[in-house]
């Protein structure tokens, strides 16, 4: 069951993200959410294996996510990740942590 509050945070951020990427024809909500879920899983595995560590100020560092995306250029979600990254740059600390917490809440088992 998806946490509705978290789901709403992701959907709100998705709509804001679209303002940054007006030509994103294959970037529908389902694809955007699936891309975040996949990125979350990759990052979570990086934390579990000790490759990445949580920053004390941020829940997750975007630079680590970019590394993962570049290593996985053949992923179905690569283009969606790049669209999200363009939006992430505009976010402040509070917005970034709110979105990542929403991702964590929606996609954890």
């Amino acid at each position: 069951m998806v946490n509705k509050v978290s789901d709403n945070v992701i959907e709100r951020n998705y709509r804001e993200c679209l303002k940054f990427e007006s030509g994103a024809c294959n970037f529908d909500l389902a694809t955007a959410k699936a891309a975040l879920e996949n990125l979350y899983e990759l990052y979570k595995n990086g934390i579990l294996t000790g490759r990445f560590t949580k920053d004390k100020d941020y829940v997750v560092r975007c630079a680590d996510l970019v590394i993962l995306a570049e290593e996985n250029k053949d992923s179905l979600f690569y283009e969606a990740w790049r669209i999200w990254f363009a939006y992430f740059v505009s976010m402040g600390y509070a917005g970034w942590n709110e979105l990542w917490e929403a991702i964590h809440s929606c996609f954890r088992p």
Side-chain angles (χ1 to χ4, degrees):
M1 178 180 198
V2 174
N3 178 332
K4 202 61 172 158
V5 173
S6 297
D7 203 41
N8 289 341
V9 170
I10 293 171
E11 288 181 31
R12 178 174 39 87
N13 279 277
Y14 166 74
R15 286 190 298 275
E16 289 297 315
C17 184
L18 288 179
K19 293 177 184 176
F20 286 81
E21 187 62 50
S22 59
C25 58
N26 293 326
F27 191 67
D28 60 10
L29 181 58
T31 300
K33 288 170 94 174
L36 288 176
E37 179 178 11
N38 187 259
L39 196 57
Y40 170 80
E41 289 299 322
L42 287 172
Y43 188 74
K44 185 174 79 173
N45 288 336
I47 293 285
L48 292 173
T49 62
R51 180 171 182 203
F52 301 118
T53 57
K54 290 183 182 177
D55 185 280
K56 66 180 184 153
D57 296 321
Y58 288 88
V59 174
V60 63
R61 287 201 155 286
C62 193
D64 294 340
L65 300 180
V66 171
I67 289 168
L68 288 170
E70 291 305 310
E71 290 176 353
N72 292 280
K73 284 184 178 183
D74 59 340
S75 170
L76 296 171
F77 300 114
Y78 181 73
E79 289 305 318
W81 293 336
R82 291 176 48 88
I83 293 168
W84 275 116
F85 293 158
Y87 171 64
F88 292 163
V89 171
S90 74
M91 299 179 85
Y93 171 81
W96 173 249
N97 281 333
E98 178 189 42
L99 177 59
W100 193 258
E101 182 57 37
I103 296 164
H104 175 75
S105 296
C106 282
F107 302 124
R108 68 177 163 220

